[in-house]
């Protein structure tokens, strides 16, 4: 019974992660075509969705309802989100002020998104 719940949880998390891929993206626009404010919204939407997912996983971990592998995914996700938050906030501050954030900062955020996707999918 417990294993069935764990498999169900992983399936729900995988579906949620796939659904988050387009959170905040304007309809009909690719990431390349977005302006800095739209990219900032995309990053913030991604962060919010992943934070909510990590919070749910944290609750389940505290209740002892996650397998050791799931706990490792939770810890990795949490670590990546801690790294991403100040980068996304700084990006948003620049974009909201009408500036153009540096491509290096944008790439750092995208690298963290990719890391999280790899951890959750692997």
């Amino acid at each position: 019974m417990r294993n069935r719940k764990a498999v169900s949880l992983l399936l729900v998390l995988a579906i949620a992660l796939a659904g988050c891929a387009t959170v905040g993206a304007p309809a009909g626009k690719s990431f390349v075509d977005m302006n800095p404010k739209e990219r900032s919204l995309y990053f913030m939407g991604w962060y919010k969705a992943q934070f909510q997912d990590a919070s749910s996983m944290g609750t389940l971990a505290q209740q002892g309802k996650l397998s050791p592998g799931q706990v490792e995914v939770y810890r990795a996700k949490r670590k990546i989100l801690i790294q991403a938050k100040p980068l996304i906030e700084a990006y948003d501050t620049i974009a909201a002020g009408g500036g153009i954030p540096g491509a290096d900062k944008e790439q750092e955020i995208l690298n963290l998104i990719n890391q999280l996707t790899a951890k959750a999918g692997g």
Side-chain angles (χ1 to χ4, degrees):
M1 181 69 167
R2 184 175 181 163
N3 194 22
R4 183 179 289 165
K5 287 181 182 180
V7 171
S8 297
L9 175 65
L10 283 177
L11 181 61
V12 169
L13 292 176
I15 292 169
L17 183 62
C20 294
T22 58
V23 171
K29 272 196 173 180
S30 70
F31 186 81
V32 175
D33 296 329
M34 291 181 203
N35 65 44
K37 289 182 182 179
E38 292 169 334
R39 289 179 182 188
S40 178
L41 287 173
Y42 171 81
F43 291 147
M44 289 189 298
W46 170 84
Y47 182 86
K48 182 179 178 182
Q50 294 302 316
F51 182 85
Q52 289 173 342
D53 185 52
S55 294
S56 296
M57 289 180 78
T59 300
L60 292 172
Q62 288 177 344
Q63 296 171 353
K65 295 182 178 179
L66 295 183
S67 71
Q70 291 169 319
V71 171
E72 288 304 312
V73 169
Y74 161 69
R75 288 180 181 154
K77 177 178 274 206
R78 188 171 178 268
K79 182 178 177 182
I80 292 168
L81 289 173
I82 289 169
Q83 292 175 313
K85 184 177 181 180
L87 295 173
I88 293 170
E89 288 174 343
Y91 190 99
D92 182 57
T93 299
I94 294 168
I100 299 175
D104 58 330
K105 297 301 177 192
E106 188 173 285
Q107 190 59 50
E108 282 185 72
I109 297 168
L110 291 171
N111 288 342
L112 291 171
I113 290 173
N114 291 336
Q115 283 179 19
L116 186 65
T117 303
K119 294 282 185 198

PDB file of all heavy atoms in Angstrom, residues 80-94:
ATOM      1  N   ILE A  80      18.426  23.861  -4.967  1.00  0.00           N
ATOM      2  CA  ILE A  80      18.382  24.615  -6.218  1.00  0.00           C
ATOM      3  C   ILE A  80      17.479  25.837  -6.079  1.00  0.00           C
ATOM      4  O   ILE A  80      17.814  26.927  -6.548  1.00  0.00           O
ATOM      5  CB  ILE A  80      17.946  23.712  -7.384  1.00  0.00           C
ATOM      6  CG1 ILE A  80      19.045  22.690  -7.669  1.00  0.00           C
ATOM      7  CG2 ILE A  80      17.632  24.524  -8.635  1.00  0.00           C
ATOM      8  CD1 ILE A  80      18.649  21.566  -8.599  1.00  0.00           C
ATOM      9  N   LEU A  81      16.345  25.676  -5.409  1.00  0.00           N
ATOM     10  CA  LEU A  81      15.432  26.808  -5.227  1.00  0.00           C
ATOM     11  C   LEU A  81      16.061  27.898  -4.365  1.00  0.00           C
ATOM     12  O   LEU A  81      15.852  29.087  -4.615  1.00  0.00           O
ATOM     13  CB  LEU A  81      14.103  26.335  -4.633  1.00  0.00           C
ATOM     14  CG  LEU A  81      13.234  25.518  -5.585  1.00  0.00           C
ATOM     15  CD1 LEU A  81      12.027  24.952  -4.851  1.00  0.00           C
ATOM     16  CD2 LEU A  81      12.798  26.346  -6.773  1.00  0.00           C
ATOM     17  N   ILE A  82      16.838  27.503  -3.368  1.00  0.00           N
ATOM     18  CA  ILE A  82      17.531  28.489  -2.531  1.00  0.00           C
ATOM     19  C   ILE A  82      18.526  29.279  -3.381  1.00  0.00           C
ATOM     20  O   ILE A  82      18.669  30.491  -3.213  1.00  0.00           O
ATOM     21  CB  ILE A  82      18.218  27.794  -1.333  1.00  0.00           C
ATOM     22  CG1 ILE A  82      17.153  27.322  -0.335  1.00  0.00           C
ATOM     23  CG2 ILE A  82      19.221  28.728  -0.660  1.00  0.00           C
ATOM     24  CD1 ILE A  82      17.674  26.394   0.745  1.00  0.00           C
ATOM     25  N   GLN A  83      19.196  28.618  -4.307  1.00  0.00           N
ATOM     26  CA  GLN A  83      20.142  29.295  -5.190  1.00  0.00           C
ATOM     27  C   GLN A  83      19.413  30.201  -6.198  1.00  0.00           C
ATOM     28  O   GLN A  83      19.919  31.265  -6.540  1.00  0.00           O
ATOM     29  CB  GLN A  83      20.978  28.277  -5.970  1.00  0.00           C
ATOM     30  CG  GLN A  83      21.939  27.483  -5.129  1.00  0.00           C
ATOM     31  CD  GLN A  83      22.632  26.409  -5.954  1.00  0.00           C
ATOM     32  OE1 GLN A  83      21.982  25.678  -6.702  1.00  0.00           O
ATOM     33  NE2 GLN A  83      23.945  26.323  -5.813  1.00  0.00           N
ATOM     34  N   ALA A  84      18.253  29.756  -6.682  1.00  0.00           N
ATOM     35  CA  ALA A  84      17.547  30.475  -7.737  1.00  0.00           C
ATOM     36  C   ALA A  84      16.853  31.742  -7.246  1.00  0.00           C
ATOM     37  O   ALA A  84      16.762  32.725  -7.985  1.00  0.00           O
ATOM     38  CB  ALA A  84      16.516  29.556  -8.403  1.00  0.00           C
ATOM     39  N   LYS A  85      16.376  31.745  -6.013  1.00  0.00           N
ATOM     40  CA  LYS A  85      15.561  32.862  -5.525  1.00  0.00           C
ATOM     41  C   LYS A  85      16.243  34.223  -5.669  1.00  0.00           C
ATOM     42  O   LYS A  85      15.667  35.133  -6.268  1.00  0.00           O
ATOM     43  CB  LYS A  85      15.129  32.624  -4.081  1.00  0.00           C
ATOM     44  CG  LYS A  85      14.204  33.721  -3.578  1.00  0.00           C
ATOM     45  CD  LYS A  85      13.714  33.456  -2.179  1.00  0.00           C
ATOM     46  CE  LYS A  85      12.771  34.580  -1.758  1.00  0.00           C
ATOM     47  NZ  LYS A  85      12.269  34.397  -0.420  1.00  0.00           N
ATOM     48  N   PRO A  86      17.469  34.418  -5.151  1.00  0.00           N
ATOM     49  CA  PRO A  86      18.071  35.754  -5.285  1.00  0.00           C
ATOM     50  C   PRO A  86      18.373  36.125  -6.739  1.00  0.00           C
ATOM     51  O   PRO A  86      18.289  37.302  -7.105  1.00  0.00           O
ATOM     52  CB  PRO A  86      19.348  35.672  -4.448  1.00  0.00           C
ATOM     53  CG  PRO A  86      19.633  34.233  -4.284  1.00  0.00           C
ATOM     54  CD  PRO A  86      18.319  33.521  -4.375  1.00  0.00           C
ATOM     55  N   LEU A  87      18.690  35.146  -7.562  1.00  0.00           N
ATOM     56  CA  LEU A  87      18.954  35.428  -8.970  1.00  0.00           C
ATOM     57  C   LEU A  87      17.694  35.911  -9.680  1.00  0.00           C
ATOM     58  O   LEU A  87      17.730  36.876 -10.448  1.00  0.00           O
ATOM     59  CB  LEU A  87      19.500  34.181  -9.675  1.00  0.00           C
ATOM     60  CG  LEU A  87      20.856  33.666  -9.205  1.00  0.00           C
ATOM     61  CD1 LEU A  87      21.182  32.343  -9.874  1.00  0.00           C
ATOM     62  CD2 LEU A  87      21.937  34.689  -9.463  1.00  0.00           C
ATOM     63  N   ILE A  88      16.575  35.240  -9.408  1.00  0.00           N
ATOM     64  CA  ILE A  88      15.305  35.620 -10.030  1.00  0.00           C
ATOM     65  C   ILE A  88      14.844  36.973  -9.515  1.00  0.00           C
ATOM     66  O   ILE A  88      14.365  37.816 -10.283  1.00  0.00           O
ATOM     67  CB  ILE A  88      14.238  34.528  -9.812  1.00  0.00           C
ATOM     68  CG1 ILE A  88      14.642  33.256 -10.576  1.00  0.00           C
ATOM     69  CG2 ILE A  88      12.853  35.013 -10.241  1.00  0.00           C
ATOM     70  CD1 ILE A  88      13.806  32.041 -10.265  1.00  0.00           C
ATOM     71  N   GLU A  89      15.002  37.221  -8.216  1.00  0.00           N
ATOM     72  CA  GLU A  89      14.614  38.515  -7.651  1.00  0.00           C
ATOM     73  C   GLU A  89      15.438  39.651  -8.263  1.00  0.00           C
ATOM     74  O   GLU A  89      14.900  40.708  -8.592  1.00  0.00           O
ATOM     75  CB  GLU A  89      14.760  38.507  -6.133  1.00  0.00           C
ATOM     76  CG  GLU A  89      13.702  37.674  -5.438  1.00  0.00           C
ATOM     77  CD  GLU A  89      13.925  37.530  -3.944  1.00  0.00           C
ATOM     78  OE1 GLU A  89      15.056  37.785  -3.459  1.00  0.00           O
ATOM     79  OE2 GLU A  89      12.966  37.149  -3.252  1.00  0.00           O
ATOM     80  N   ALA A  90      16.740  39.439  -8.423  1.00  0.00           N
ATOM     81  CA  ALA A  90      17.600  40.461  -9.032  1.00  0.00           C
ATOM     82  C   ALA A  90      17.217  40.686 -10.489  1.00  0.00           C
ATOM     83  O   ALA A  90      17.144  41.836 -10.955  1.00  0.00           O
ATOM     84  CB  ALA A  90      19.064  40.055  -8.920  1.00  0.00           C
ATOM     85  N   TYR A  91      16.953  39.606 -11.211  1.00  0.00           N
ATOM     86  CA  TYR A  91      16.537  39.700 -12.609  1.00  0.00           C
ATOM     87  C   TYR A  91      15.250  40.508 -12.707  1.00  0.00           C
ATOM     88  O   TYR A  91      15.126  41.399 -13.548  1.00  0.00           O
ATOM     89  CB  TYR A  91      16.342  38.292 -13.184  1.00  0.00           C
ATOM     90  CG  TYR A  91      16.132  38.249 -14.676  1.00  0.00           C
ATOM     91  CD1 TYR A  91      17.186  37.956 -15.526  1.00  0.00           C
ATOM     92  CD2 TYR A  91      14.881  38.492 -15.241  1.00  0.00           C
ATOM     93  CE1 TYR A  91      17.007  37.911 -16.897  1.00  0.00           C
ATOM     94  CE2 TYR A  91      14.696  38.446 -16.612  1.00  0.00           C
ATOM     95  CZ  TYR A  91      15.759  38.157 -17.433  1.00  0.00           C
ATOM     96  OH  TYR A  91      15.576  38.121 -18.788  1.00  0.00           O
ATOM     97  N   ASP A  92      14.309  40.209 -11.828  1.00  0.00           N
ATOM     98  CA  ASP A  92      13.027  40.909 -11.835  1.00  0.00           C
ATOM     99  C   ASP A  92      13.194  42.397 -11.517  1.00  0.00           C
ATOM    100  O   ASP A  92      12.547  43.238 -12.136  1.00  0.00           O
ATOM    101  CB  ASP A  92      12.058  40.260 -10.837  1.00  0.00           C
ATOM    102  CG  ASP A  92      10.699  40.940 -10.862  1.00  0.00           C
ATOM    103  OD1 ASP A  92      10.075  40.996 -11.944  1.00  0.00           O
ATOM    104  OD2 ASP A  92      10.273  41.432  -9.801  1.00  0.00           O
ATOM    105  N   THR A  93      14.045  42.724 -10.576  1.00  0.00           N
ATOM    106  CA  THR A  93      14.271  44.122 -10.210  1.00  0.00           C
ATOM    107  C   THR A  93      14.799  44.913 -11.409  1.00  0.00           C
ATOM    108  O   THR A  93      14.336  46.019 -11.689  1.00  0.00           O
ATOM    109  CB  THR A  93      15.267  44.223  -9.031  1.00  0.00           C
ATOM    110  OG1 THR A  93      14.703  43.542  -7.916  1.00  0.00           O
ATOM    111  CG2 THR A  93      15.548  45.659  -8.660  1.00  0.00           C
ATOM    112  N   ILE A  94      15.739  44.334 -12.121  1.00  0.00           N
ATOM    113  CA  ILE A  94      16.299  45.006 -13.303  1.00  0.00           C
ATOM    114  C   ILE A  94      15.243  45.139 -14.397  1.00  0.00           C
ATOM    115  O   ILE A  94      15.060  46.214 -14.976  1.00  0.00           O
ATOM    116  CB  ILE A  94      17.534  44.236 -13.820  1.00  0.00           C
ATOM    117  CG1 ILE A  94      18.660  44.307 -12.786  1.00  0.00           C
ATOM    118  CG2 ILE A  94      17.995  44.794 -15.169  1.00  0.00           C
ATOM    119  CD1 ILE A  94      19.807  43.350 -13.055  1.00  0.00           C
TER     120      ILE A  94
END
